[in-house]
Amino acid sequence: MSVHLPTILSAENIRQRQALIRPYLKKTPLLQSEKINALAGCNIYFKCENFQHTGSFKVRGAFSAALLLSEEERKKGLCTHSSGNHAQAIAKAAQMLACPAYIVMPENAPAFKQRATAELGAEIRFSPPTTAGREAALAAWQKETAAHFIHPYNDYDVILGQATCSLEILEELSDVDGILAPIGGGGLLSGALLSAHYFRPELKVLGAEPQLVNDAYLSLAAGKIIENKRTDSLADGLRTTIRPKTFGVFQELLSEIICVEEEEIILALRLIWEQLKIVVEPSSAVPLAALLKHKARFKGQNWAIILSGGNIDLDHLPF
């Protein structure tokens, strides 16, 4: 079956973005746990983006888009809407590039993510906790500031930046059978699909999504974008709905999404904390929950799981 992707989403552009943003990133490690491997019945390599700047993979896309702007464009500032991780990424990019940051956050965004974004120097306004509410609030603010909008995921420059995460996995692991990534807006998974498509086409790439906010699963089945009707998943980074640019990549390259229940996410989250001895947020645990839910199909294989972030409210742990 032929694949039809936008010209910008090329192998060459992924490589170019990797070189462009590398000086602004941390090199995140791949970790393993013998106990988790034994429990899962396969070898799992955890890509620890929780160790990245601002505690998530989001800075990859933020820098990928921001570094393309002219000096005059940057002076007007960067703006976005985000529940937390992309907000911090844009604030960090603005801080490092010495320009203003204007962030719209949903009113139910975790308080500690609000604080972390403000501490990076961003100005914050709040909106209703829906995609439409966030977009409307940002559009009004952007008219005031003329700042450059960097979408959390519906932006090909952002997607190219996120693709560098999986490219690093492929450069380090020669024998990996597949990659599992969580789905919020779809940028991280789109990037993984692109990197595998161009650099390791035999690789399997699967998405993992909370059952409570399974818009991507429903959208693929329907052939059109289905909005989330709920925003109450513990995985706060995955509450957003996919948009046309990420959905387009999914339609071309994604074969399957595994949905998991909240209880399964909590169990996987606890397992990562206890066995890897690292702090990750619930969104990061969704792919492990998906793998453990279907252990038989992964038996004896080598899989990489992207731990998308580590920004969790320590005052409200779900354990």
Side-chain angles (χ1 to χ4, degrees), residues 90-163:
I90 293 299
K92 181 66 174 180
Q95 182 189 66
M96 293 182 73
L97 298 175
C99 61
Y102 308 100
I103 313 293
V104 169
M105 302 188 77
E107 57 197 12
N108 65 345
F112 79 100
K113 290 188 177 182
Q114 297 175 26
R115 291 194 302 269
T117 303
E119 287 168 0
L120 287 165
E123 293 185 41
I124 300 172
R125 290 184 183 178
F126 295 99
S127 73
T130 62
T131 299
R134 289 157 55 149
E135 291 175 347
L138 182 67
W141 203 5
Q142 191 179 17
K143 285 183 180 179
E144 298 176 30
T145 62
H148 182 82
F149 175 37
I150 299 179
H151 195 281
Y153 42 89
N154 194 42
D155 182 320
Y156 291 138
D157 292 318
V158 170
I159 291 171
L160 287 168
Q162 315 308 22

Side-chain angles (χ1 to χ4, degrees), residues 248-267:
V249 175
F250 287 4
Q251 287 184 302
E252 292 296 326
L253 299 176
L254 181 59
S255 60
E256 185 180 357
I257 296 170
I258 300 173
C259 297
V260 294
E261 303 293 343
E262 297 295 292
E263 296 79 9
E264 294 168 327
I265 298 171
I266 293 171
L267 288 172

Side-chain angles (χ1 to χ4, degrees), residues 44 46 180 208-210 258-269 271-272 282-295 298 305:
I44 304 173
F46 293 94
L180 264 164
E209 192 171 37
I258 300 173
C259 297
V260 294
E261 303 293 343
E262 297 295 292
E263 296 79 9
E264 294 168 327
I265 298 171
I266 293 171
L267 288 172
L269 181 68
L271 191 61
I272 293 169
S283 301
S284 291
V286 172
L288 178 59
L291 186 150
L292 294 174
K293 187 172 187 172
H294 299 280
K295 289 194 292 185
F298 299 98
I305 284 178

